[in-house]
Amino acid sequence: MNRSLRTVVLLFCLWLSGPILADTFPSKPVKILVTNPPGGSSDLMARILGQKLGDLWKQSVVVENRAGAAGLIGMTYAASQAPDGYTLLFGAQGSTIVTPLLSKVPYDMEKDFTPLSLVATGPSILMVNANSPYKTVQDLINAAKAKPNSINYGSGGVGTAAHLGAEMFNSYANIKTVHVPYKGGISAINDLAADQIQFQFTDAAPVIPFIKSGKLRPLAVTTPKRFGSMPDVPTFVESGLPMFIAVNSWGVYMPAGASPALVTQLQADIRKALSNPDLIKRFADLGFDAQNTSPEEFKAFLVSENARYSKLIR
């Protein structure tokens, strides 16, 4: 076979192999990056989603936690990965939406990442120690007004949803409290249970065991209506702060630069996983509403959330 004919045959084989290679994704383990420590909301949901994707792909899906600096460490690492589909980012609202609006960060959500799917939404809950003298939101507000900057609250770091939630609370209630940032939300929750800080805004999942064990007490939720998993806990609207309505969100992203075919496949597969009845139930048991949006709906959601939080932060 002469050289020119060999070249033609080689090119033909490569052309044929393209669809075959695409159809075999993934051919090795896939990694889901979480920018929070183990045990938090993102970690718990990522593991459930990873299990369902693994069942769908017949391939291992592992969760890797890269926590620290309010998500900056994990986000920066995720942005540097190859856009081959083998590294996905489970992005929390704080590091993907809020933090880039608050300060300059070493990543660009529009240039460095491709959004794949909205995964879940859920309320923030105002938590206090079970032995706290604050039985209602108004009790806490009254104490903070009586002694400004004498009450401490915890969060997983500057720019996290917990931090923004507490600052929104300060603003709407016209009070001044002190922020104590931690490496992750779980550390702050542990200190709240140990009575080292006075309150915290958090998702439902990591605090449900503390509520059941009698160590923490919920005072209010940020949803417009009462939260189904905690029907006895009032909303902030009912507690005298009608403007205080907020919903936390989580999504899956990948490093920018992937082929359109791979992006389409990942979006379709993630939607299949999110429609699994067992996943929906397990998310609900943790206090989250599983979402199943189209790529266009997710992009529209991100635009809307960025506009809303830009206004709040300003």
Side-chain angles (χ1 to χ4, degrees):
M1 185 182 297
N2 61 41
R3 181 177 298 179
S4 60
L5 184 57
R6 283 200 303 269
T7 302
V8 171
V9 172
L10 176 61
L11 290 173
F12 181 70
C13 290
L14 289 172
W15 176 77
L16 283 177
S17 70
I20 295 172
L21 289 173
D23 288 343
T24 58
F25 173 87
S27 59
K28 62 181 182 180
V30 175
K31 179 168 57 181
I32 299 180
L33 290 173
V34 173
T35 63
N36 307 100
S41 300
S42 295
D43 178 73
L44 294 171
M45 286 190 286
R47 293 180 188 280
I48 296 171
L49 176 61
Q51 180 187 23
K52 299 307 177 187
L53 287 173
D55 292 343
L56 181 65
W57 289 333
K58 309 302 180 187
Q59 185 59 261
S60 297
V61 179
V62 297
V63 172
E64 180 177 322
N65 300 87
R66 286 188 174 255
L72 292 184
I73 292 174
M75 293 296 297
T76 304
Y77 176 78
S80 70
Q81 300 304 293
D84 56 7
Y86 289 98
T87 300
L88 305 178
L89 169 70
F90 197 95
Q93 181 183 54
S95 54
T96 59
I97 297 175
V98 178
T99 303
L101 295 173
L102 282 172
S103 59
K104 184 175 178 60
V105 294
Y107 57 90
D108 186 311
M109 289 306 301
E110 292 189 6
K111 295 179 180 179
D112 295 335
F113 294 98
T114 298
L116 296 177
S117 179
L118 182 65
V119 172
T121 56
S124 278
I125 306 166
L126 172 58
M127 302 295 306
V128 297
N129 188 282
N131 296 320
S132 169
Y134 316 127
K135 301 295 194 296
T136 67
V137 171
Q138 198 58 52
D139 287 343
L140 179 54
I141 292 174
N142 291 340
K145 285 185 174 180
K147 292 184 178 180
N149 293 318
S150 65
I151 295 176
N152 300 329
Y153 73 87
S155 81
V158 175
T160 58
H163 177 211
L164 186 62
E167 289 303 319
M168 289 169 65
F169 177 48
N170 284 341
S171 177
Y172 289 137
N174 193 26
I175 58 176
K176 293 181 180 180
T177 61
V178 180
H179 181 209
V180 181
Y182 289 77
K183 186 177 180 180
I186 291 297
S187 298
I189 291 168
N190 287 331
D191 264 13
L192 182 64
D195 209 18
Q196 299 299 307
I197 53 177
Q198 283 70 60
F199 74 92
Q200 182 179 350
F201 280 82
T202 178
D203 311 311
V207 293
I208 287 176
F210 290 88
I211 295 172
K212 290 182 177 179
S213 66
K215 294 181 179 179
L216 296 179
R217 179 195 307 134
L219 295 188
V221 296
T222 59
T223 41
K225 297 180 180 179
R226 292 202 178 195
F227 181 38
S229 298
M230 300 180 185
D232 296 330
V233 180
T235 66
F236 278 94
V237 175
E238 294 174 293
S239 302
L241 297 177
M243 297 296 292
F244 196 177
I245 297 174
V247 177
N248 293 335
S249 62
W250 295 262
V252 175
Y253 304 76
M254 70 180 300
S259 69
L262 178 58
V263 171
T264 299
Q265 179 187 338
L266 284 168
Q267 289 169 330
D269 290 348
I270 291 169
R271 291 193 72 183
K272 286 181 184 177
L274 290 171
S275 66
N276 185 289
D278 180 64
L279 178 144
I280 294 171
K281 181 183 184 302
R282 290 171 69 183
F283 272 29
D285 289 343
L286 291 171
F288 306 111
D289 293 321
Q291 301 296 320
N292 200 334
T293 60
S294 69
E296 294 73 24
E297 289 171 332
F298 185 32
K299 289 179 180 178
F301 174 84
L302 292 174
V303 170
S304 174
E305 288 294 276
N306 270 282
R308 185 164 71 93
Y309 279 100
S310 292
K311 182 177 179 181
L312 285 170
I313 290 168
R314 284 198 303 270

